Structure formats: structure tokens, C-alpha cells
Amino acid sequence: MYHQPVLKNRRTLLERAEKFISDIYFTDSNLRGRLFGDSYPLESINSSLSSKRIPFTDAVQQNFVPYKVGETFGPTWWTCWFKVTLTIPESWRGKEVHLLWESDGEAMVWRDEQPVQGLTKEGEKTSYILTECLKDEDPHSVTLYVELACNGLFGAGQGSMIAAPDPSRKYSVQKAELVVFNRDVRELLTDFEMLVDIVKHLGEGEQRGYQALFTVNEMVNLCDPANPSSFTKAHSLAHKFFNQHNGQSQHTIHAMGHCHIDSAWLWPYEETIRKCGRSWVTVIRLMEKNPEFVFTCSQAQQFQWVKSWYPGLFSQIQHYVKKGQFIPVGGTWVEMDGNLPSGESMVRQFLEGQRFFNQEFGIYCKEFWLPDTFGYSAQLPQIMQGSGISCFLTQKLSWNLVNTFPHNTFFWEGLDGSQVLTHFPPGNSYEMKGKVEELVNSVKNNKDKGRANHSAALFGFGDGGGGPTQLMVDRLQRVQDTDGLPKVQMSSPDRLFSELHADSALLCTWVGELFLELHNGTYTTQAQIKCGNRQCETLLHDIEVASSLALWRDNAFQYPLKQLQELWRLLLLNQFHDVIPGSCIEMVVEDALRYYQDIRRVGARLLQDACRSLGSKEQKADSNAVFNSLPWERHEVIQLQDGTGLALVRVPSVGVAGVKDTQPVTPVSVTVQANGTVLIENGILQTIVNKDGSLASLHLVKANREAISDGCNGNQFVMFDDVPLYWDAWDVMDYHLQTRKPVLEVVEPVRVVASGGLRGSVSFKLRISDKSTITQEIVLDAMCPYIKFNTQVEWAESHKFLKVEFPVQVRNPNATYEIQFGHVQRPTHRNTSWDWARFEVWGHKWADLSEHSFGVALLNDCKYGYSVHKNTMTLSLLRAPKAPDANADMGTHHFTYAIMPHTGSFQDASVIQCAYNLNCPLRPFQCSADSVPWSAFSVNTPAVVLETIKQAEDRKGALLVRLYESHGSSVNTTLYTTLPVREAWHCDLLERLDLTKPLQVTAAGIPLNFCPFQIVSLLLVL
């Protein structure tokens, strides 16, 4: 260092270096001001505006008119295509030449009819490289097309990012010109930036920080921005600093390029397709220049979109997958919500995703990749293991509002004991930028110091796409092994998890669900989406079961394999982690509801076709019959298809029966009492309904046990103020519980609708406000152990939360909630911060609060939000957030819930089966009058549920059946079938045979063994 030593003040020297590379201050004389050299105008720029997203071949046929930089166009969600003609000056020979393009939309550059580069100012991509060194033989005159989406990286929120989109926003191109790019300036700027950040983030207590400070100060002394020949000496100083190496014990960061793209969120599905194209083609450009660069990419659906819309780009992706640079991860169709999809839906996420990746790339993913969903079911480890996956990466629990999760690297143990090696990147982000602060925090935040010395850093713009930049790659390259910082290596998930596994002896184990202490409102927001999900899951289940049986009953029947795959993929798409939770804009909601309607419309026809094949083919189909898709006999009241009334039917397990005119052992009686209340009873239950529709009493007759707490009413509707801190559609805060207000205003008091016999029911109407009402029919059927509440709500509220409460005479410190393929217990008290963070929890078809010998279950047909505090069971019904959808949940809602008091445990009382019955209606169809009841499958223990029957993926003459143990017990059982099964094999969730596990097929059935909550998949060869 040749300058005479001077007093070195840390603040002044640091700020001197910062100003030397500032893009705001002193750009006339600092280094940043020299990043670009000469500029040159474009020869011409013409534009064509389209209201739709059209392919390139259509776009170039449009009428283009002259465009002047700065002119506005739009509105939001439209597309403006630009035809750009340019001529590079001859005098720029030997220079690196860029098209500089700055706009407030998302752009894609097309050249020679192919996408070549994404340009997004928010994603720090504002130039397209025309040539890195202009040669005489290079084309000097070029025509490009730029496709510009009228939306930003995060949509078009009006006033804030998550606000509803501004539909009339206008967009413009602020800069479009040719420039000389000074690569040597860019390289030196990166040196300066990294050293300045080392000074700032190692702090005053670290000698290494002062070494960086003195180095960067000397670089400023040496560097004359007007004289590029001075750059070499400054760069050499930086190089010397960066190449002072670490010791062997230093933490290693595995850097991986990543571009988390929400399949829909603040933009519609269709725009996501273009986000994928823009982001991934940019990644390919990086791979061409950086052979060590690695990029991880999840969601088979997005690959499928790119394959359809950008086949040339998809071929390039396949090439780089083979080279090991472009790495498909996750193994699922989309990055789904981790709470709300059913167990079978989660299986299909992996089945569709892994099969796609294998078919297109010849690989199966080894790691599950779900960085941004709102909690993780306790059954996920088993589902992962069954899908060929043993590792898991996420980071969302770093968002916990109350408690800090205690680990970054650990073994996660699921409900059945399955374990997966799990990693939360300690940088607490899936969109790092390769900066020093992120590297320092990755070491500082690591909660498993001494147990795990490797971690991941996922870098690249995310959520709205964008992905990594060359600058990010350059930053990380500078500090691969720099004393004072962790080691950094470009890596892959496989390499990371291999390192973690090799040194896993001291890792801790977390047992059970990974509950996110935030975004609890997503269990309830956008109720129509949640209803569509539950109903379509049920419909697809029933189509598959009926079609599987029809294959055996009718030789002419064709299993609708292709149609079912299409319907399943639509359903799986809507389970994306910003769609089924309801945290998306109105356009996405409309798309999602349309997809559910498509599933219902096509699915109804497929189910009808299958049921028709289940009846007798030889004789006229002129009698009513019902199909039962569930694996137990059902004895219940149905509405006849021809509208002639009700019937009590008995239908065998997974089978068919004609409708016979049978009478219940005890008919339902309905009595209006002197005080205006109504007494309804069916020999199992007796209830008294108040004039306002609340339950004064709910009595379990044979046990002589009252379910409703003394002095309280069941079926009490309550309203809460629901104003979160920021994340409107996502969050309900604990303080909302302090604003409880019962709904008390009666519009129409209780009146009798059905007077007894097979069904007794009453209806009433309440006013929530001057804008909203509740109309409900309370129904008790003969032979039914639960009371149904068929509910219609006209909902026009703002930031309110509607729930229904049942205070019950049960005491237990824990309540039980159904999850995928099982159930979990959660506290009913608030002893610790971990307990009260669960003030609002999720569950599926039922929740139960039981003490020894008695309990009460709360069932539902499309709700997911629950709360059980002390002895009050609460079901969450409707929210009214205003962002990102200003009209979220407004309108008419129909749903059913039920209350079921019982003796014994919920397992022994058949709560699980009753919840299935409520959700899976008996399916009516026409058959011949002499049809006899028949059953295809049954299981001889109620603990085991036969969940799925479908045609095997790759074998026409075989069925896939899936069962699970639902009680939490080890059990031996037998699967009975009347189908002509020749062979039976165990297989995994991807339907790959386990040839080491043949099963014995006997006349008495197929014997099976289960551990608690175990999922078993079988391939039955007919």
C-alpha cells in the first residue's frame, strides 16, 4: 500500500467506499457512473396492444404502430408487444453491447422466434446482451420482439403489494436504447460491494472487518474511474483479500439458484406460465456462461406449462437437467398447501409430480421442497417416504409469530414414526441475493451449531419469479473460501443432504406436526374454494371406486384414465399454497371456482357412466338403487332421485343395493312445546331447539347423558372483529377473541319443516347485521347418531369472522382433530406460549373432545378451521378480508356441520365413519327391479379404512387399493373382496411393486398387518 498512513476513521472510510460505488451520489466522478459507456438510439420501436396473452406466432401478425419511449399503455393484465429494430455502430467493435430496457411491466425478449431473456426492473434485469465482444462478422442490424406484460413482479396491487389489483393502471417503457457495457467496471464494483458489506456485517468487533475496511480504502486510492488501466491494481487487492482462506472447521454454505414462482397469487394462473418462461430462459442464459451454476426448480405443473407454451425452452431445460445444472426438486405437481388437502390428494401430488419428472427427465426427486406453505401435516413424513423421498427443505416456520422454532437441521418424525431429514435454511429466506449479510446470518442464525456444519442458501428473486442474476453468481464466486466468512460452494440438494446425513449423529428429532404460528385465517378464507376442494376430492374418489368396480362388472366399460388424470391435475393445481388457503386475488378465485365446476360437470358424467355399468345390463333399469363407495355398510335416510320423498336404505360396503321401503326401529318424533321450543328425538338422540335455533339440550338417550353445558346453548353463532396486523386474507390474530358478540336477532323463529318418521327438521333465520343473514335447517334422521345443521348464509361483511360454538359437558386437556390418514391431539388450555399460539387450528372432517366413556364430535362437510378451548368446541365458518381480493367470501354460502355426542372413545363410537358418511353421499342411480345387493370390498376391523380403489397407473388388469390405520393402533385385519384377484403385492405410493412382499390371497381374503396410522398400498392383479 503506497499511500502514507493516515488516521483511519472507520465511519468516514466506510462511507467513502460506499459513495464510490453509489448509484445516487457523485455518479459524475465515482465508479458506478462508468458502468455504461456510449449509448445509441434504437432504429425504430413499434408496439401492438392485446387484451389477451397471445403466442408469438399470433403476436407478430398484429398491426404495429410507432411507439415513443415514455408513452403509456395498458390497462393491467393486457400485453404490449414491441417490435424493436436496431443497428449497432461500427465504432463499437470489440465492445460488449446491451439493449438497455427499463419498464414497469414484466418483459420477455424474443429473437429468431424464440424467447431469449426475461427483463424485469424489479428483478434487477434491465439489459439483454446482444454481444459480449462485437466482431465484424456479428450481425450489426437486429430485429427483436419484446413481449411486455402489464403487471409487475408482484401483480398490480393498488396502494400496497397485497391490495386488490388496480384494474386501470397504465404502464410505460422508460428507457430503450443501445449501450456499451463496461464489464471491467462491473467486476470491480462487485469487489467493492462485497468488501464494503464485509466491513458492515462483521462489525467493529472483528479484526477481519478492519482488514476489509483498509483494503477497500486502498482500492479507492488506487482506482481512477476515468482510467481503466488503474482497475487491475485495485482488483488485485480485492483478489488477495478474498483468497485468504478459512480453516477446515468453517461452516459450509451450499448455494443453489432458485426462483420460487407462485403458481397463482397476486396474478392469475395464465400469467404464471409467462413468469416461468421469463425466469427459466434467463436461467438458461446463466448456465451457458457459468458451467458451475446450479438451479433448483419445483412444481411439475410449471414444467408442463413450459413444455406446452415454450417447447424450445423446454428442450434446453432437458439438456441442462442431464448436465446436472437444472435440478427438478420437490416431487409434487405443485407446491401445495401443507394442511388442507386430503391424504389422498397429497399422495396424488407426489404421484403426478414424480411420474412427470421421471417421464420427462428420467429422474425421481429425492427431496420434498415446500419453502412457502402455511404449516406441515404430521402425515407428510410417511407420505414422503412412500413416494421415494427421504429429505425435506422448507423455511416458513421462521415466520412464527410467537415461538422461535428450535432447529434448522433435524429429523422430522411423522404420525406413524416415519422420519425424514429436514433442513430450514438458517438465512430464513428462499430468495437470497448472494450478499455478505445473508452469509453471515446463515451462520449466526443456525440453531444447530455443533450438530450441523452445512446449510443451504437459495438465491434468486422469488414469489413473482425473476430468479438469479449474474451479479448474484459473481458475489458468491468472490467469497467461496474467504477468511472471516463461511465457505460457499455452488451445490445441489443431493450434495447438501448427503453432507448433513453423513454427520447426523447429534441431530435432534421433532415429533408431530410443524405448526405455523401465523396465517391461521387461511383455514377459513374463501369458503367457496374450500367447499369446491372437499366436494371434488369426494367426487373423484367415488368415480374411481365406481369405475374400478364397473371394470369387473361390465367387460365393455372403459376406465376413464385420461379424463381422471386431467380432473385430478385441475384439483391438485387448486391446492397450490395461495389458492386453497384463499390468499389470492379475485381473478384466481374465479379461475379456481371454474375449475371446480369443470370437475363437477365432467365428473358427474363419469360417475353416472360407471354407476350405469354397476346395474344389471340384461334388464330394463327402472328402479332406484344406490352406490356406496365407503368400506362399511351404511343404513341411512336418502332423498329419492325422482323427488318422491325419503327412503331408509341399507347398502353394503363398497357396493350397490336397490332402494327398499323399510321402516326404522324408532321413527323420529317432532314436538312443539308450550314455550315455543321444539323437541326432536330418534331413539338415539333427543334435542330441544330454542326459538332462535340454538340447542337448549342435546341428550344421548341410552347413556342418559346431557352433552350441552349447564346454563349454555349449543349451536350458538358468534361474530368477531377480524382486523389483522397486515396479512389480511392470511391472518386472524389472537386479540380477535376479545371481540366476541353472539348473533341474537331472530328474523324467523323456529318452525317445523319435517314432522317426523324418517326425518324430523326445523328451520329458522337470524340477522347478523343489516347486510347478512343466517338461514338454517336442523335435521335429525332416523337411525342417525348425529344432528345435521344445513346452513345458508348471505354474507356481506367487512373484516368480521363468523363461528358457531358448542359448549359441552366434557373435560379433557386435549382435543382430537382429523388430519390426513389419521388424527392429532392439541391442547384445550393455554398454559404455555406454544399452547396459546394454537388459538385457531386446522382439521378435516371432524374434531372430538372426549373424556373417559363420553365425548362429543363436531363434523363438517367443507370447513377446516377449529378451536376447542376448555369445554367449548368452535367451528370457523366465514371471514371477510379485503385484500388481496376485495370481494372475498361475499355472497351466498351453503354448508353443513353436525354434532355427535357418543359413549366410549371416538374410535369405538364410529366418529370417523360418521364423518365420512356426512361427506360422501350415497350415489343414486337406476337399476333393474330384481337387482340384488352386492359388495366388492370390505375390511373386518373398523380401525382400518379402505381409502382408495383405482385402476393401477401402468397395468390395465390391476387395481390399486390404499388403506390406512385410523385409530392409532397396531392391528391385524383381512381385506375381503368378491373380485377375482389372482395376485396381490405391496407397492409404494408411486405404485412401484415391492417384489419382496407378495401377499397371500385366500378364499377368506388378504391378511394384512398395520402399525398405528400406517398407510398401505396394494396392487391387486385380476
Side-chain angles (χ1 to χ4, degrees):
M1 297 186 182
Y2 65 89
H3 287 283
Q4 183 177 350
V6 295
L7 185 65
K8 290 183 169 63
N9 178 278
R10 184 179 185 274
R11 176 185 167 184
T12 57
L13 294 193
L14 176 57
E15 194 165 331
R16 179 197 189 197
E18 288 179 310
K19 294 297 196 303
F20 191 68
I21 59 174
S22 171
D23 58 0
I24 299 172
Y25 302 103
F26 310 117
T27 54
D28 62 327
S29 56
N30 73 4
L31 186 62
R32 175 76 64 175
R34 304 296 174 128
L35 184 58
F36 295 105
D38 294 339
S39 63
Y40 193 77
L42 302 177
E43 194 169 299
S44 69
I45 179 168
N46 296 280
S47 68
S48 175
L49 196 59
S50 170
S51 63
K52 295 181 178 173
R53 300 171 181 89
I54 56 177
F56 176 83
T57 50
D58 292 351
V60 296
Q61 303 299 321
Q62 303 303 303
N63 181 39
F64 284 80
V65 297
Y67 175 81
K68 185 178 179 182
V69 170
E71 290 178 343
T72 61
F73 49 86
T76 302
W77 308 126
W78 285 43
T79 301
C80 196
W81 283 83
F82 296 90
K83 183 178 182 181
V84 176
T85 57
L86 57 90
T87 301
I88 304 172
E90 293 284 344
S91 59
W92 287 6
R93 188 182 300 110
K95 306 282 190 183
E96 182 170 340
V97 182
H98 290 197
L99 167 65
L100 191 62
W101 182 280
E102 293 185 11
S103 65
D104 42 14
E106 292 190 84
M108 171 88 93
V109 180
W110 291 77
R111 186 172 185 174
D112 300 327
E113 303 182 2
Q114 291 298 320
V116 291
Q117 176 72 49
L119 296 175
T120 311
K121 189 160 62 173
E122 296 163 287
E124 297 180 3
K125 299 177 185 70
T126 56
S127 64
Y128 167 59
I129 302 174
L130 291 161
T131 173
E132 292 183 340
C133 182
L134 185 64
K135 300 182 178 68
D136 290 339
E137 62 269 23
D138 288 340
H140 284 50
S141 294
V142 178
T143 297
L144 303 172
Y145 287 88
V146 179
E147 175 190 13
L148 199 148
C150 293
N151 54 264
L153 209 56
F154 290 89
Q158 190 163 12
S160 77
M161 181 184 77
I162 65 165
D166 179 355
S168 55
R169 181 182 295 181
K170 295 292 186 178
Y171 297 79
S172 67
V173 178
Q174 296 92 43
K175 194 174 286 187
E177 60 186 5
L178 297 179
V179 294
V180 171
F181 183 78
N182 294 319
R183 178 66 60 182
D184 54 351
V185 174
R186 175 70 271 171
E187 295 294 330
L188 195 54
L189 282 170
T190 305
D191 291 340
F192 271 102
E193 177 201 317
M194 295 302 281
L195 284 163
V196 165
D197 282 356
I198 288 171
V199 177
K200 290 160 69 173
H201 297 294
L202 289 190
E204 296 188 51
E206 291 288 334
Q207 173 166 308
R208 189 66 172 151
Y210 277 97
Q211 291 173 351
L213 177 68
F214 295 164
T215 299
V216 77
N217 183 64
E218 197 61 29
M219 287 169 64
V220 178
N221 291 336
L222 288 171
C223 181
D224 177 3
N227 179 14
S229 66
S230 69
F231 296 175
T232 304
K233 288 183 179 178
H235 181 67
S236 295
L237 274 180
H239 183 76
K240 180 180 177 183
F241 180 92
F242 293 137
N243 280 280
Q244 291 172 329
H245 296 319
N246 275 296
Q248 290 184 345
S249 66
Q250 185 58 275
H251 186 88
T252 299
I253 289 178
H254 294 249
M256 307 170 215
H258 189 52
C259 178
H260 178 72
I261 303 178
D262 288 322
S263 290
W265 180 30
L266 304 175
W267 52 88
Y269 284 126
E270 210 172 71
E271 190 55 45
T272 306
I273 299 171
R274 299 200 296 187
K275 284 178 176 286
C276 293
R278 289 187 288 261
S279 303
W280 296 359
V281 76
T282 306
V283 163
I284 296 296
R285 298 290 84 81
L286 285 176
M287 288 178 177
E288 291 169 348
K289 294 181 184 178
N290 304 274
E292 78 288 352
F293 171 61
V294 169
F295 179 73
T296 56
C297 192
S298 66
Q299 305 194 72
Q301 170 70 87
Q302 294 184 3
F303 284 90
Q304 176 65 54
W305 280 335
V306 169
K307 182 182 179 183
S308 299
W309 282 56
Y310 307 105
L313 171 59
F314 190 75
S315 295
Q316 295 176 66
I317 290 170
Q318 287 178 310
H319 169 73
Y320 282 101
V321 170
K322 284 182 182 176
K323 290 186 71 175
Q325 286 184 260
F326 201 114
I327 302 178
V329 294
T332 50
W333 189 246
V334 296
E335 287 188 13
M336 72 282 194
D337 181 82
N339 300 326
L340 307 185
S342 70
E344 189 60 29
S345 288
M346 284 190 167
V347 170
R348 300 306 176 91
Q349 288 284 356
F350 286 97
L351 179 69
E352 290 295 330
Q354 289 283 54
R355 284 175 62 83
F356 179 89
F357 289 135
N358 188 51
Q359 288 162 4
E360 299 296 339
F361 306 116
I363 64 160
Y364 288 110
C365 299
K366 298 178 183 177
E367 61 291 303
F368 184 35
W369 195 274
L370 196 60
D372 191 32
T373 200
F374 312 145
Y376 305 88
S377 165
Q379 268 293 25
L380 272 168
Q382 183 178 188
I383 294 171
M384 284 184 235
Q385 288 281 11
S387 304
I389 287 173
S390 57
C391 303
F392 176 41
L393 183 143
T394 185
Q395 66 84 46
K396 197 66 177 185
L397 261 65
S398 67
W399 284 45
N400 269 9
L401 195 63
V402 181
N403 299 284
T404 300
F405 192 78
H407 303 295
N408 287 98
T409 304
F410 58 100
F411 286 103
W412 180 23
E413 184 173 304
L415 205 56
D416 73 315
S418 296
Q419 290 192 348
V420 289
L421 178 58
T422 301
H423 181 65
F424 297 175
N428 293 338
S429 174
Y430 50 76
E431 49 174 333
M432 297 182 184
K433 307 298 184 290
K435 293 196 169 186
V436 170
E437 180 181 15
E438 297 162 346
L439 304 178
V440 171
N441 285 340
S442 290
V443 178
K444 186 190 301 182
N445 295 344
N446 180 18
K447 300 182 191 70
D448 295 284
K449 296 180 182 77
R451 287 190 288 261
N453 208 26
H454 294 259
S455 66
L458 311 180
F459 66 94
F461 288 94
D463 288 330
T469 64
Q470 183 63 52
L471 177 56
M472 296 176 194
V473 175
D474 291 343
R475 286 168 179 157
L476 293 167
Q477 187 274 331
R478 293 289 192 284
V479 293
Q480 291 179 75
D481 190 1
T482 297
D483 186 25
L485 296 177
K487 294 179 182 178
V488 179
Q489 62 185 31
M490 202 64 72
S491 188
S492 66
D494 191 45
R495 186 172 177 186
L496 165 70
F497 281 111
S498 294
E499 294 281 6
L500 291 173
H501 217 288
D503 193 23
S504 61
L506 297 179
L507 292 182
C508 299
T509 299
W510 181 272
V511 178
E513 67 181 329
L514 296 173
F515 185 88
L516 179 66
E517 297 174 355
L518 195 70
H519 295 354
N520 317 58
T522 60
Y523 317 147
T524 305
T525 304
Q526 299 288 8
Q528 300 282 24
I529 287 180
K530 291 168 172 64
C531 181
N533 178 74
R534 182 80 65 82
Q535 289 181 359
C536 289
E537 285 176 335
T538 300
L539 177 59
L540 293 181
H541 167 271
D542 288 2
I543 295 167
E544 288 183 335
V545 175
S547 297
S548 298
L549 304 194
L551 271 177
W552 167 61
R553 296 279 290 188
D554 181 0
N555 291 333
F557 181 79
Q558 294 290 312
Y559 191 91
L561 195 65
K562 188 173 186 301
Q563 297 102 309
L564 276 168
Q565 184 185 60
E566 290 170 356
L567 298 184
W568 265 110
R569 286 183 170 184
L570 277 182
L571 180 64
L572 299 180
L573 173 59
N574 275 353
Q575 290 172 350
F576 178 74
H577 65 251
D578 277 308
V579 180
I580 191 174
S583 50
C584 51
I585 61 172
E586 189 171 12
M587 291 176 74
V588 178
V589 175
E590 291 167 354
D591 284 344
L593 296 181
R594 190 173 68 252
Y595 291 162
Y596 290 132
Q597 280 304 105
D598 291 345
I599 295 170
R600 290 184 181 108
R601 176 176 46 80
V602 177
R605 177 176 53 79
L606 295 179
L607 182 60
Q608 189 178 42
D609 291 347
C611 286
R612 194 179 299 120
S613 292
L614 297 180
S616 174
K617 299 296 253 183
E618 291 77 28
Q619 299 182 27
K620 185 179 179 183
D622 56 2
S623 291
N624 290 317
V626 283
F627 164 61
N628 173 21
S629 66
L630 298 178
W632 44 79
E633 181 183 84
R634 295 171 69 174
H635 194 196
E636 58 192 70
V637 175
I638 63 164
Q639 181 78 47
L640 291 175
Q641 195 176 16
D642 57 14
T644 56
L646 304 173
L648 179 63
V649 297
R650 188 186 295 273
V651 197
S653 165
V654 191
V656 167
V659 175
K660 307 297 182 187
D661 188 17
T662 59
Q663 293 302 311
V665 175
T666 305
V668 182
S669 69
V670 180
T671 307
V672 179
Q673 303 190 114
N675 60 359
T677 62
V678 180
L679 175 69
I680 313 173
E681 54 187 325
N682 68 351
I684 302 170
L685 299 176
Q686 180 189 80
T687 188
I688 298 173
V689 184
N690 291 321
K691 287 188 281 188
D692 64 358
S694 61
L695 302 190
S697 169
L698 177 57
H699 204 73
L700 195 57
V701 175
K702 287 184 179 176
N704 192 27
R705 183 73 184 256
E706 175 61 43
I708 304 297
S709 293
D710 292 341
C712 298
N713 292 323
N715 197 39
Q716 177 65 64
F717 292 99
V718 285
M719 286 280 281
F720 298 85
D721 295 339
D722 186 17
V723 183
L725 298 176
Y726 175 72
W727 296 101
D728 200 355
W730 293 259
D731 286 347
V732 57
M733 312 310 295
D734 52 359
Y735 53 74
H736 88 284
L737 295 169
Q738 296 177 293
T739 67
R740 177 185 179 276
K741 298 180 186 70
V743 178
L744 300 174
E745 185 177 350
V746 178
V747 179
E748 297 174 7
V750 159
R751 64 179 180 86
V752 175
V753 176
S755 57
L758 292 181
R759 172 170 293 169
S761 71
V762 297
S763 71
F764 62 94
K765 185 174 184 178
L766 303 178
R767 178 171 284 114
I768 297 170
S769 70
D770 58 351
K771 297 173 287 188
S772 304
T773 60
I774 301 168
T775 305
Q776 190 173 74
E777 184 181 11
I778 302 176
V779 179
L780 182 60
D781 282 344
M783 311 292 292
C784 187
Y786 53 81
I787 296 175
K788 291 186 291 187
F789 301 85
N790 298 332
T791 313
Q792 177 180 317
V793 180
E794 300 295 335
W795 185 246
E797 299 299 310
S798 179
H799 291 114
K800 299 293 182 182
F801 200 154
L802 176 66
K803 306 183 186 185
V804 65
E805 295 176 346
F806 289 89
V808 297
Q809 291 194 31
V810 179
R811 181 173 174 81
N812 193 317
N814 292 294
T816 307
Y817 303 83
E818 187 196 36
I819 67 164
Q820 298 82 358
F821 299 124
H823 54 264
V824 295
Q825 289 193 328
R826 300 186 182 108
T828 60
H829 55 77
R830 294 173 184 163
N831 285 356
T832 71
S833 59
W834 294 88
D835 299 331
W836 63 256
R838 286 165 165 77
F839 62 87
E840 178 83 4
V841 299
W842 65 273
H844 283 197
K845 298 185 291 292
W846 58 269
D848 185 85
L849 183 64
S850 291
E851 58 193 39
H852 180 68
S853 80
F854 181 76
V856 179
L858 184 55
L859 322 178
N860 77 83
D861 72 345
C862 62
K863 300 299 175 185
Y864 296 89
Y866 293 89
S867 169
V868 181
H869 182 224
K870 296 183 177 177
N871 67 321
T872 299
M873 307 181 74
T874 305
L875 185 66
S876 297
L877 303 177
L878 292 169
R879 295 186 70 222
K882 299 303 173 188
D885 176 3
N887 298 305
D889 281 314
M890 298 300 98
T892 304
H893 297 268
H894 297 273
F895 51 85
T896 296
Y897 55 89
I899 193 78
M900 178 179 170
H902 59 82
T903 56
S905 67
F906 70 85
Q907 293 99 327
D908 293 340
S910 299
V911 165
I912 297 167
Q913 285 80 358
C914 287
Y916 270 97
N917 292 350
L918 182 68
N919 280 265
C920 299
L922 292 168
R923 304 288 186 177
F925 67 100
Q926 296 297 112
C927 71
S928 61
D930 62 348
S931 293
V932 295
W934 59 272
S935 168
F937 287 94
S938 61
V939 184
N940 71 346
T941 171
V944 174
V945 176
L946 174 56
E947 176 71 18
T948 300
I949 305 168
K950 62 183 278 287
Q951 181 174 284
E953 291 294 316
D954 297 316
R955 296 185 66 162
K956 272 194 172 182
L959 295 180
L960 182 286
V961 299
R962 190 162 8 260
L963 311 94
Y964 72 97
E965 198 289 317
S966 67
H967 286 182
S969 60
S970 296
V971 64
N972 300 324
T973 190
T974 301
L975 172 65
Y976 299 108
T977 179
T978 55
L979 274 58
V981 175
R982 293 189 292 113
E983 299 173 30
W985 299 85
H986 280 284
C987 63
D988 67 6
L989 299 180
L990 305 185
E991 302 187 18
R992 298 177 296 189
L993 285 187
D994 184 347
L995 296 176
T996 67
K997 292 184 177 179
L999 286 160
Q1000 187 180 7
V1001 181
T1002 70
I1006 302 169
L1008 299 169
N1009 303 317
F1010 285 82
C1011 297
F1013 304 116
Q1014 184 181 0
I1015 306 164
V1016 171
S1017 299
L1018 308 177
L1019 196 79
L1020 306 182
V1021 182
L1022 303 181

